[in-house]
Amino acid sequence: MLSYDATSTSTASPAVVWRLLIDARTWPVWSTVDSLVTERSSGLDPDGRDPVGAVRAFRTGRTVTGERLTGLDEEKQLTYEDAFNSAIHDYRAVIDLTPAADGGTVIHWHGTYSARWGMRWLMKRVMQRVMQQMADGLASHAAQQSRQDLAG
């Protein structure tokens, strides 16, 4: 099994970060994915509170991958696994949100996966880089969202 481990800190509270994580419609705004593919997704909540079991399909370039939510601990932890993914398999990811001392949030995004033998070295580098970008994008956008909420 291969793994990645990404950490980023946001000035936003865990509640603000959580709202972005749980709503698949926000992911193209702050993450490395280009779009949410609703016709390949299932169980999405119209109010942006996707439940356990929902499959969220995302397009990045020409590739569409799907993830199934497997666990939700409000404002603390979101877990998911691959529902369909051509590049990797046996993918399981955990996103832990921990309150920071200054009122912000530490985002710890980590996961394990398998890849075809010839793709292992490439996927290890790509996944670490991309998942760090995901954590950083979430932290940054949550901070912007928090400032907008305060400005009213």
Side-chain angles (χ1 to χ4, degrees):
M1 291 295 274
L2 300 170
S3 64
Y4 65 84
D5 194 304
T7 301
S8 194
T9 302
S10 179
T11 56
S13 70
V16 172
V17 176
W18 183 257
R19 280 197 316 264
L20 295 171
L21 266 181
I22 198 70
D23 186 353
R25 297 171 301 184
T26 71
W27 285 47
V29 175
W30 55 262
S31 77
T32 60
V33 302
D34 296 330
S35 62
L36 174 66
V37 183
T38 55
E39 60 273 10
R40 300 240 356 234
S41 299
S42 64
L44 299 181
D45 181 81
D47 296 323
R49 297 191 53 79
D50 298 336
V52 168
V55 173
R56 297 142 41 118
F58 296 107
R59 178 179 308 282
T60 304
R62 294 186 323 220
T63 304
V64 177
T65 59
E67 62 184 37
R68 178 178 297 102
L69 294 180
T70 57
L72 301 171
D73 186 357
E74 187 85 16
E75 298 180 15
K76 293 180 182 165
Q77 186 180 75
L78 181 144
T79 59
Y80 63 93
E81 65 187 17
D82 61 322
F84 52 90
N85 190 324
S86 59
I88 61 175
H89 54 278
D90 301 323
Y91 178 39
R92 288 179 175 47
V94 178
I95 306 166
D96 291 308
L97 305 180
T98 305
D102 63 359
T105 305
V106 176
I107 301 163
H108 182 212
W109 200 319
H110 50 107
T112 59
Y113 59 96
S114 297
R116 291 191 323 263
W117 176 253
M119 295 294 291
R120 292 174 58 90
W121 67 272
L122 175 64
M123 290 309 300
K124 182 139 181 83
R125 289 182 27 197
V126 167
M127 287 293 285
Q128 180 62 46
R129 180 177 46 80
V130 167
M131 300 318 289
Q132 186 63 57
Q133 290 172 332
M134 297 283 281
D136 291 344
L138 176 59
S140 176
H141 190 72
Q144 287 178 313
Q145 194 74 39
S146 187
R147 285 191 298 273
Q148 288 173 356
D149 290 351
L150 289 173

